[in-house]
Amino acid sequence: MSSLFSITKMFSLSTLMLLLQLFTINLRHADAQIGVCYGTMGDNLPPASEVVSLYVSNSITRMRIYYTNQDALNALRNSNIELILGVANPDLQALASSSDNAIQWVQNNVLNYFPYVKIKYVAVGNEVNPVGANSQYAQYVLPAIQNIYQAIRAQGLQDQIKVTTAIDMSMLGNSYPPSQGSFRADVRSYIDPIIGYLVYANAPLLANVYPYFSYANNPTDISLSYALFTSATVVVWDGPYGYKNLFDAMLDALHAAIDNTGIGYVEVVVSESGWPSDGGFGATYDNANTYLGNLILRAKTGTPRRPSKPTEIYIFAMFDENQKSPEIEKHFGLFFPNKQKKYTFGFTA
């Protein structure tokens, strides 16, 4: 009887230890999905070396930068922070027009740092839209992507460093219900070939997803609880899929839009999402604290349409940036320029 009791005790203890190990692994996997965008449009921001130290001390394991910021790249060496490295829109034409330019760009900004800087994605252009205010860049996005991809592939790094671009949600012509998500007809000739490339290269599409702006522009039809992840019940039923929050509905509308092109399967990385603490309708400290804290918890799960994997999310932004406009754009920071935390939550799930 005593030996049976001992075996039962040992089995229970070993099972408990195994479950604890699995929980820890899963928790780390969830934690690793959160990154923060490092913008620099402020005249009072700390130097890059201090910024990287701030990421490390707050357990922020991923960063997005919007241009080839050499100070940031040097500070990131051996930090173990994974990076989205941006190609600024004004640089697209030169990279699209010459493969030699792309080779040199990759040498200067990727090979000179990798693997000591853990470059995960190269984001070729940000929110370029063929029918938007920056339409002059649209013709250069895919050729620049292809030239940079070929330069990276020539080094055998195409499976380690994925080349892509970042879009905003204005590319969608329909987003409700999410399963009927589709791209605007007047952007299909732009986005379809990019999706085709992403399928070929097995690279994700980056998307900037902001429930805040959807709510602020339509508070009559969109409840604050739906936007802040605080609804206790399903708000939108779409066939078998139930949506308690606007973030999932927006993201699944993009998933559906990609699927509905019929080109192939492409994953989506949320390359920006945030909520301002001041400067506009619904932009309060409490709302921002609620949204961002819940967004971090949300990263450990998938969407109703794609539930099997956690969602890789980059929060915008690290700091309040006083040189941005309009006013609301100055208040998205997680930290004040003096490096003090604005909010109470941590950066792990």
Side-chain angles (χ1 to χ4, degrees), residues 194-261:
I194 290 174
I195 292 172
Y197 153 78
L198 295 173
V199 172
Y200 163 77
N202 191 29
L205 179 64
L206 308 186
N208 301 339
V209 181
Y210 285 94
Y212 167 74
F213 291 111
S214 297
Y215 164 72
N217 291 330
N218 188 14
T220 302
D221 295 326
I222 298 173
S223 69
L224 183 60
S225 62
Y226 189 51
L228 294 179
F229 300 95
T230 56
S231 175
T233 58
V234 170
V235 176
V236 172
W237 279 104
D238 181 14
Y241 306 125
Y243 292 91
K244 290 185 176 181
N245 66 79
L246 181 57
F247 178 89
D248 279 351
M250 294 175 71
L251 189 50
D252 266 355
L254 179 55
H255 289 147
I258 295 169
D259 294 344
N260 289 337
T261 66

Side-chain angles (χ1 to χ4, degrees), residues 49-75:
S49 58
E50 294 181 18
V51 174
V52 170
S53 295
L54 195 60
Y55 272 69
V56 172
S57 64
N58 283 277
S59 302
I60 303 170
T61 58
R62 290 178 176 171
M63 176 188 289
R64 179 183 179 186
I65 60 176
Y66 292 87
Y67 65 98
T68 52
N69 181 338
Q70 301 299 313
D71 289 340
L73 286 167
N74 281 310

Side-chain angles (χ1 to χ4, degrees), residues 283-305:
T284 68
Y285 173 89
D286 287 342
N287 285 347
N289 188 60
T290 299
Y291 176 80
L292 295 166
N294 286 331
L295 182 67
I296 290 168
L297 295 174
R298 165 61 188 77
K300 64 184 178 181
T301 62
T303 65
R305 187 179 180 92

Side-chain angles (χ1 to χ4, degrees), residues 58-125:
N58 283 277
S59 302
I60 303 170
T61 58
R62 290 178 176 171
M63 176 188 289
R64 179 183 179 186
I65 60 176
Y66 292 87
Y67 65 98
T68 52
N69 181 338
Q70 301 299 313
D71 289 340
L73 286 167
N74 281 310
L76 283 164
R77 288 182 186 272
N78 300 311
S79 66
N80 211 36
I81 293 171
E82 293 185 337
L83 181 68
I84 300 177
L85 174 62
V87 176
N89 293 347
D91 296 335
L92 295 173
Q93 183 175 358
L95 294 168
S97 61
S98 166
S99 58
D100 288 340
N101 287 346
I103 290 168
Q104 191 61 55
W105 187 94
V106 168
Q107 180 62 55
N108 293 343
N109 301 295
V110 177
L111 301 180
N112 284 356
Y113 297 96
F114 188 86
Y116 305 104
V117 176
K118 297 177 68 174
I119 300 168
K120 185 176 186 182
Y121 307 118
V122 176
V124 182

